[in-house]
Amino acid sequence: MDFQALPEGCIAHILSYIDIPADLCRLSLVCWAFCSAAESDAIWDRFIPSDLVSIISRSHSESSSSLLATSSSKKALYLTLSDHPIIIDHGTKSFQLDKRTGKKCYMVSARDLWICWVETPQYWNWTTIPESRFQQVAVLRAVCWFDIRGAISTHELSSNTHYAAYLVFNMVDPDGFHHYPVELSVGIIGGPISTKNVCLDPYLEESELDDRFQGLQRPNVRNDGLLEIEMGEFFNSGMGDEVQIRVSETQSNMWKHGFLLEGIEVRPKMPAGT
């Protein structure tokens, strides 16, 4: 029997067993019958978080508040949630969906992180930059004790999912970060802690790096023009606890400046080769 002769509802039911939205989009290119069935609201509704109404209620944006009413389909809603972060919690966090997997992603802004000496103007300032999704970023003027900490509840995230945390920042005429590596750590309370040293300065040439920096991870440029570096990964079993995150360089006693902190993003970690 020709597969395309099956009723669209039957094909849609078969496609509903696909767990990854990206795979569903690929299958929709196979034939017209797949393409039509893959537009079904019943299929895409499975990828919309069950607590989306609660999440949207934490936003003060009119466009976000009307998102459910203005979306033409569940697929359109899904794509909007994956392409356009929703700013929530009085502008201190953002929420979106990972387009490939449909898993929840959150970014904790600099305003929602603990930053040592941030309230002392001679050490840190707050400013706006066009590429930021938040109203303000933290600008490092000069500190020796570089220490940033944050936390996010695993209840906020998708359960049974491998996640990674990413430091999102920028560098403007940086100095002092070439003296000693920065330590990054990520871990769920009561579980293992992932710790590593990295080089945050993206402008250093390999010839300028001493033995302490050789082979260390370097930042990457994001689509929004900011820099990011992976801090570590963890598995969210859904049992409920906090993920604790820290960025620090407190060993060298060297003055550092030129660092702009956007926030820390937590998003699904894809296995290698996928």
Side-chain angles (χ1 to χ4, degrees), residues 79 90 118 186 211 251:
L79 294 176
H90 305 285
V118 75
V186 177
D211 291 342
Q251 303 297 316

